[in-house]
Amino acid sequence: MNLNEVKAAIPGIRVAEPDIIKNWQENPIFRGKPDLKHKRLKAYRILESKQSDKEKIGGDNEEFLRSSNIRISFHTDVEKEFSRIHELVNRTNQLNFTKNRWPEDVEEARKLFEKEVSEEFFSDFGYIKVSDSYGDYGICGFYFAKPGYMQHFLFSCRIMNMGVEQYVWNKLGRKHIDIKPPTASDLNNPSKVDWITLCDDANAQDSHKDDSSLNSLQVCLRGACDLAMTSFFLKTKFETIEEFNYSVHPWEVHTNARSLGLYKDQESDLDIRTILEKTPGPDFNRYNSDIIQEKSDVYVISFSQEGFMSSYRHKETGLILSLRCMHMFPGTDACDADYTSLAYDDVKDFLTDTTEEKWNYFKENYEFIGGFRNSDIVKEQFQNDVIHIFTRLKHAQKKVIILGLNEKIGNLPGLVELWSSINSIVKPLAEAYEYDYIDINDYVKTDADLTDELGGAHYKRSIYKKFSDVIADCIAKV
């Protein structure tokens, strides 16, 4: 009666009479994962030793953690360790904050993971290794981030109360997590974890070596949005600042060289500031940069944005301004988009923050000069702005790494020619200033190195990983 009552209350549950006990060691239902090396036993002995030492110092957890020499490392070769990752995704509970599961069949789960990655170019994923003075914990964490949120964020309970999940969440930028309770940890507490050391491989024999000087370096990455993929790899090694192009409706804020020149000019010249205040476009405070502030130790710069705006010259002062608005001349090459040809009535519905007075000032006081692809004036201004940037960083004694652009592979009209033209200006200047120059053409060699749909602008994840490794090697020479 009791067994039938349970079956009625919980459909699908298995029940048995007591005589099952005599053969349960041979029964496949009770057969767990083989552990011939007694890893579980070793793990419990580590926990026992840690608890004993913690009691000796009065039970203060943070004091104990500071004495434990905790080391973690981030790894991105998820495919290689997929069986372990699959086990973590489907078996963790107490420290699984998202509780999004995969199919139980590992190959079916692998296909789902590959599909999710291919559907979102800006996905970021990796696994975590942990060790401390008591032993190695192996792979005990996994994250899978999509733009703005975490699809997976989980850890093995073997690293409970070590601050690992809080450290990783902060390191990855505190992305939004739709937390599915119950969880045995609060990601906001402790808010600061300063007892963990970042290393290349937490389970390697030399993981105890002091890499703190490199880990504490601040690296500013400035360029197009695809540089975010490289940042995914670098942020797990260094403190990073990301300066990528973004939209402020309806304008785009670009990380091009001219924006830094304009910001510098309007800071030092009140007349220029007055002119810019009268001119349509984003608030120029948005063009402020860490290059202006000079706070980072290392600057990684790509100039791939230069060809995607139209430029205008102020008739009286010769000031050159670059603008782009996706609503004006959609589908037209930016170099051919003359905004001064549009009346206020043509733009007022989507330039809601622009007054008729400001638009007419723009039309009357600026002349359209084209873009990088078709204007020698724009190219000359670009060269001058690059010289200003390089000189400023050289004077500040900063480490600078320049990313060359793909000028050989792809089928987007005019793209490789544009980037070849940019390289012809930037590379000689980088060499003259003795900056590291990474030639992307050494790594992007065939169409197979490109993403399927973008024909030259974006690369496969493996290529960005190579870039990041080369950049990390350059930074290590600081």
Side-chain angles (χ1 to χ4, degrees), residues 437-448:
Y437 182 89
I438 298 176
D439 191 342
I440 285 181
N441 301 287
D442 291 341
Y443 307 95
V444 180
K445 296 182 177 180
T446 70
D447 287 342

Side-chain angles (χ1 to χ4, degrees), residues 411-476:
N411 55 20
L412 288 180
L415 183 67
V416 295
E417 292 83 0
L418 164 68
W419 282 354
S420 177
S421 181
I422 294 173
N423 285 344
S424 69
I425 295 173
V426 173
K427 186 175 182 180
L429 288 173
E431 292 173 348
Y433 281 80
E434 299 181 314
Y435 291 153
D436 288 313
Y437 182 89
I438 298 176
D439 191 342
I440 285 181
N441 301 287
D442 291 341
Y443 307 95
V444 180
K445 296 182 177 180
T446 70
D447 287 342
D449 295 325
L450 307 176
T451 53
D452 296 334
E453 75 282 3
L454 292 170
H458 290 182
Y459 318 122
K460 291 290 180 61
R461 183 179 296 270
S462 59
I463 299 297
Y464 289 106
K465 179 62 167 69
K466 291 178 181 178
F467 296 163
S468 70
D469 289 344
V470 175
I471 292 169
D473 289 342
C474 290
I475 295 174

Side-chain angles (χ1 to χ4, degrees), residues 374-432:
N374 56 20
S375 172
D376 290 337
I377 298 173
V378 174
K379 291 178 183 177
E380 181 180 359
Q381 181 65 65
F382 169 69
Q383 179 169 300
N384 291 336
D385 288 332
V386 172
I387 290 172
H388 160 69
I389 294 168
F390 284 5
T391 302
R392 183 174 196 131
L393 294 177
K394 193 75 172 181
H395 183 265
Q397 298 182 315
K398 301 296 185 179
K399 175 79 171 179
V400 178
I401 301 168
I402 303 300
L403 298 184
L405 306 177
N406 165 33
E407 58 182 54
K408 295 181 179 179
I409 307 298
N411 55 20
L412 288 180
L415 183 67
V416 295
E417 292 83 0
L418 164 68
W419 282 354
S420 177
S421 181
I422 294 173
N423 285 344
S424 69
I425 295 173
V426 173
K427 186 175 182 180
L429 288 173
E431 292 173 348

